[in-house]
């Protein structure tokens, strides 16, 4: 039996990798289902190539398997990512293209063909056809339900025992060098603006991403603030996000703001996730802004290590018996 502390993204993903390898798993989480996970505020973008603009090559490489992995458990929308910029910020588009791969340059007419709602708004963009997105909240629900059907005991509202095999408690873990990075988002109801794929609006000061959720709902976000504050979204951040959304499409000015949120994403100094030993336990942490993108690869690594250690422990016990 392998015991995991934390039923958030990292814990559930690792549990699934362990189940696929034939292990018995119990997951403990002190919170109610979904309540303790910062992933509920995530964009759900499976966009390894776009992340390569600011992230190391390891993020691109590990993230390329994410869409196929998530499609095993939850609906994944494979319509790519469209990156655009206002004419005055064309240099940002050039810079983004230079720092990324996996894209093609598209004209204004091609942008209109991809997203009719953007017709006449942008003369040039970048299209990352292989990228995808999902609904983070549904993905976590679907993954938990699948695990339970496969016999995994997920004990919500239950503190983990003192001895577990893997700790996946995010910012709650007292791990050296781990820091919180605040992210803020808003959900908009905008039935008159039909966007079907992830959009990124480049701006030197307030970049924006928009991810459609279906039924006229979309999520906007982009903030990365070096802060541990857990207060609700600030007026400044919300104003900047909404202004950027209006620049993307004026029709969003009539959208209803149906939810706002802020979460703390755990990150290490290099902004890359780690598997490490601390206080006698194995920890998977530091997914930063790449949670849904990198969780599959990191979960596979964690599962391989846990199974290897379990096999070695069983061998030692048989040898000494």
């Amino acid at each position: 039996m392998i015991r995991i502390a934390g039923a958030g993204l990292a814990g559930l993903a690792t549990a699934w990798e362990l189940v696929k390898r034939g292990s018995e798993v119990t997951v403990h989480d002190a919170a109610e289902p979904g309540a303790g996970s910062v992933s509920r505020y995530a964009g759900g973008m499976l966009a390894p190539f776009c992340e390569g603009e600011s992230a190391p090559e390891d993020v691109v490489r590990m993230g390329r398997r994410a869409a196929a992995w998530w499609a095993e458990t939850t609906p994944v929308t494979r319509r790519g990512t469209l990156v655009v910029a206002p004419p005055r910020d064309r240099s940002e588009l050039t810079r983004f293209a230079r720092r990324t791969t996996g894209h093609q340059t598209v004209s204004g007419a091609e942008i209109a063909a991809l997203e009719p709602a953007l017709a006449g708004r942008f003369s040039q963009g970048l299209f990352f056809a292989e990228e995808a997105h999902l609904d983070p909240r549904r993905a976590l629900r679907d993954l938990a339900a699948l695990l339970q059907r496969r016999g995994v005991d997920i004990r919500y509202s239950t503190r983990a025992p003192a001895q577990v095999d893997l700790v996946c408690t995010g910012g709650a873990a007292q791990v050296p060098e781990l820091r919180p990075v605040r992210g803020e988002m808003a959900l908009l109801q905008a039935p008159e603006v039909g966007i079907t794929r992830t959009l990124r609006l480049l701006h030197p000061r307030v970049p924006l991403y928009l991810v459609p959720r279906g039924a006229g709902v979309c999520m906007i976000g982009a903030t990365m603030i070096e802060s541990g504050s857990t207060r609700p979204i600030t007026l400044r951040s919300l104003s900047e996000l909404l202004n950027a959304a209006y620049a993307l499409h004026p029709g969003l000015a009539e959208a209803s703001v149906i939810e706002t949120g802020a979460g703390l994403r755990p990150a290490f100094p290099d902004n890359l996730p780690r598997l490490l030993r601390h206080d006698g336990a194995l920890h998977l942490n530091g997914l930063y802004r790449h949670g849904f993108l990198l969780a599959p690869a990191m979960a596979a690594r964690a599962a391989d290590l846990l199974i290897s250690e379990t096999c070695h422990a069983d061998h030692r016990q048989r040898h000494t018996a």
Side-chain angles (χ1 to χ4, degrees):
M1 172 66 69
I2 294 178
R3 293 177 174 81
I4 297 174
L9 176 56
L12 294 181
T14 305
W16 178 231
E17 286 293 324
L18 288 165
V19 166
K20 290 191 291 185
R21 289 159 172 76
S23 297
E24 295 184 21
V25 184
T26 297
V27 183
H28 303 262
D29 199 297
E32 297 177 359
S37 177
V38 69
S39 300
R40 66 191 305 271
Y41 297 122
M45 296 175 291
L46 307 176
F49 298 107
C50 280
E51 290 303 314
E53 182 266 337
S54 59
E57 177 61 29
D58 281 351
V59 171
V60 179
R61 178 179 52 80
M62 290 192 294
R64 293 189 68 173
R65 63 167 291 191
W69 191 94
W70 282 107
E72 297 176 356
T73 65
T74 197
V76 172
T77 302
R78 298 171 178 264
R79 292 184 59 80
T81 301
L82 181 58
V83 180
V84 295
R88 66 179 183 278
D89 297 320
R90 181 70 62 82
S91 62
E92 292 294 310
L93 198 63
T94 302
R95 180 190 59 80
F96 200 94
R98 187 172 58 247
R99 295 177 63 90
T100 57
T101 59
H103 58 74
Q104 66 183 85
T105 301
V106 289
S107 65
E110 290 170 316
I111 291 172
L114 289 167
E115 291 293 342
L118 299 183
R121 296 207 47 77
F122 301 97
S123 61
Q124 191 175 23
L126 302 171
F127 182 48
F128 296 77
E130 294 184 29
E131 297 189 336
H133 70 271
L134 51 72
D135 181 335
R137 299 177 187 183
R138 176 171 180 177
L140 288 178
R141 291 196 303 269
D142 288 349
L143 181 54
L146 175 61
L147 288 169
Q148 290 169 327
R149 290 197 299 271
R150 294 290 293 268
V152 174
D153 185 6
I154 305 178
R155 301 180 183 179
Y156 292 108
S157 304
T158 305
R159 291 190 178 278
Q163 297 295 322
V164 296
D165 300 287
L166 180 67
V167 179
C168 299
T169 53
Q174 300 300 310
V175 177
E177 298 189 291
L178 196 68
R179 77 189 197 280
V181 180
R182 180 178 163 91
E184 299 160 317
M185 52 75 75
L187 284 178
L188 308 181
Q189 181 79 49
E192 302 302 319
V193 182
I195 301 297
T196 64
R197 55 177 49 79
T198 298
L199 303 180
R200 290 184 183 240
L201 176 69
L202 302 183
H203 185 283
R205 190 174 62 85
V206 189
L208 176 87
Y209 61 75
L210 181 150
V211 189
R213 292 283 188 255
V217 175
C218 60
M219 179 206 171
I220 59 173
T223 60
M224 290 182 292
I225 304 169
E226 296 288 339
S227 169
S229 173
T230 58
R231 64 175 175 159
I233 189 171
T234 65
L235 178 61
R236 173 183 295 178
S237 293
L238 183 58
S239 297
E240 289 179 343
L241 287 176
L242 296 178
N243 285 334
Y246 178 77
L248 181 64
H249 194 294
L252 291 172
E254 300 302 318
S256 300
V257 180
I258 57 177
E259 182 183 340
T260 62
L264 300 180
R265 298 169 287 198
F268 290 106
D270 59 1
N271 294 331
L272 290 175
R274 297 180 187 176
L275 267 175
L276 53 86
R277 289 282 177 188
H278 179 65
D279 287 344
L282 181 65
H283 288 249
L284 171 53
N285 213 322
L287 290 172
Y288 182 47
R289 58 178 280 173
H290 310 303
F292 284 88
L293 184 65
L294 297 189
M298 294 303 297
R301 290 184 184 181
D304 288 342
L305 182 57
L306 289 168
I307 290 175
S308 175
E309 291 178 345
T310 300
C311 290
H312 288 159
D314 291 344
H315 176 77
R316 287 195 301 270
Q317 288 177 355
R318 287 194 299 267
H319 184 72
T320 57

